[in-house]
């Protein structure tokens, strides 16, 4: 029975980093912890060292600025930022995550209206982004680190990580509701998603009924 200690390191992976970053008039940046997300070390009451991996809301397209922000967040906040191309982000987040998965997870059946709600291009974007997150995990992972993945935006991440790190210890917590089995059966890529969920060593849901 291993209890987390101050010498342990947890890599916390979520689509949104638990920080708010904005540009200042002087050309610098203002960075604050986003307490509303509840994913920082204090919010989760973790005694361990933490490394955070995720995206930021501020749009940054200049490579030099991206590198500057990467250094700032890693050195001062232990945050590893992933920048996504706008088209990839739109297909992944607004398309597959919000447009396709969110209604199903909330037990809402899609209305076809002549158009298949499942779009292959959005699914490919979801796969691509999960692989990009896995690559960021590889950059900071050391043997013994624990990896804690958050929410349905990254349900493929356990599979992506285990292809490279066979012995990694992975937890996955789904912050959204989880649908009834008959509705989950309508998900076009349910096998791929379910296989990845089961690749996690520990799987958590909001309510016990979602595990059934």
């Amino acid at each position: 029975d291993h209890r987390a200690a101050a010498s342990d390191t947890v890599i916390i992976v979520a689509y949104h980093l638990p920080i708010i970053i904005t540009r200042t008039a002087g050309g610098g940046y203002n960075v604050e912890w986003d307490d509303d997300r509840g994913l920082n070390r204090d919010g989760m009451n973790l005694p361990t060292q933490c490394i955070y991996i995720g995206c930021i809301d501020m749009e940054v397209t200049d490579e030099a600025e991206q590198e500057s922000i990467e250094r700032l967040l890693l050195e001062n906040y232990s945050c590893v930022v992933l920048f996504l191309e706008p088209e990839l982000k739109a297909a992944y987040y607004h398309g597959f995550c919000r447009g396709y998965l969110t209604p199903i997870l909330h037990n809402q059946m899609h209305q076809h209206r002549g158009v298949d709600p499942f779009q292959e291009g959005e699914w490919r974007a979801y796969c691509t982004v999960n692989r990009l997150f896995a690559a960021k995990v590889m950059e900071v992972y050391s043997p013994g680190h624990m990896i804690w993945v958050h929410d349905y935006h990254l349900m493929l991440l356990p599979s992506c990580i285990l292809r490279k790190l066979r012995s990694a210890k992975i937890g996955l917590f789904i912050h959204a509701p989880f649908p009834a089995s008959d509705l989950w059966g309508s998900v076009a890529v349910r096998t791929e998603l379910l296989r990845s969920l089961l690749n996690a060593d520990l799987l958590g849901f909001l309510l016990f009924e979602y595990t059934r």
Side-chain angles (χ1 to χ4, degrees):
D1 179 33
H2 178 75
R3 295 182 181 275
S7 58
D8 291 323
T9 297
V10 177
I11 301 173
I12 298 173
V13 194
Y15 173 65
H16 290 285
L17 281 173
I19 58 168
I20 301 171
I21 179 170
T22 54
R23 297 181 179 91
T24 62
Y29 304 96
N30 181 64
V31 183
E32 298 176 352
W33 289 107
D34 187 355
D35 294 330
D36 290 339
R37 297 204 186 276
L39 290 182
N40 59 44
R41 191 178 78 168
D42 292 336
M44 293 192 292
N45 196 29
L46 289 174
T48 64
Q49 302 176 59
C50 293
I51 301 172
Y52 307 91
I53 298 176
C55 301
I56 57 175
D57 289 330
M58 187 174 70
E59 188 169 322
V60 185
T61 56
D62 181 74
E63 290 188 9
E65 186 179 17
Q66 289 180 358
E67 292 175 0
S68 177
I69 291 173
E70 286 174 352
R71 287 193 300 270
L72 170 67
L73 296 184
L74 181 59
E75 293 172 3
N76 295 291
Y77 298 89
S78 297
C79 288
V80 177
V81 60
L82 172 63
F83 294 103
L84 299 176
E85 295 291 335
E87 288 186 6
L88 178 62
K89 177 180 178 179
Y92 157 75
Y93 183 74
H94 298 290
F96 193 79
C97 290
R98 303 292 296 176
Y100 184 69
L101 283 180
T102 296
I104 293 173
L105 292 175
H106 287 81
N107 280 296
Q108 298 172 11
M109 184 67 74
H110 281 291
Q111 299 296 322
H112 282 257
R113 303 183 188 279
V115 179
D116 189 344
F118 174 77
Q119 297 294 311
E120 186 69 35
E122 294 175 353
W123 165 243
R124 287 197 298 269
Y126 186 83
C127 295
T128 296
V129 172
N130 274 256
R131 287 194 295 267
L132 291 174
F133 268 93
K136 287 294 183 182
V137 171
M138 307 301 163
E139 291 179 9
V140 297
Y141 178 84
S142 292
H145 285 181
M146 294 171 281
I147 303 169
W148 193 356
V149 183
H150 288 268
D151 224 355
Y152 67 97
H153 312 91
L154 300 171
M155 286 195 288
L156 278 183
L157 193 52
S159 286
C160 294
I161 292 173
L162 286 177
R163 291 190 188 106
K164 302 291 185 181
L165 300 171
R166 299 300 301 175
S167 62
K169 299 301 181 185
I170 304 171
L172 172 61
F173 189 86
I174 304 296
H175 293 258
F178 205 78
S181 57
D182 56 342
L183 190 54
W184 179 254
S186 71
V187 177
V189 289
R190 58 190 177 277
T191 301
E192 293 88 338
L193 294 175
L194 184 58
R195 183 181 297 120
S196 185
L197 292 179
L198 296 176
N199 274 329
D201 296 280
L202 181 64
L203 186 58
F205 295 93
L206 288 171
L207 298 175
F208 176 74
E209 66 186 66
Y210 298 150
T211 66
R212 298 178 181 177

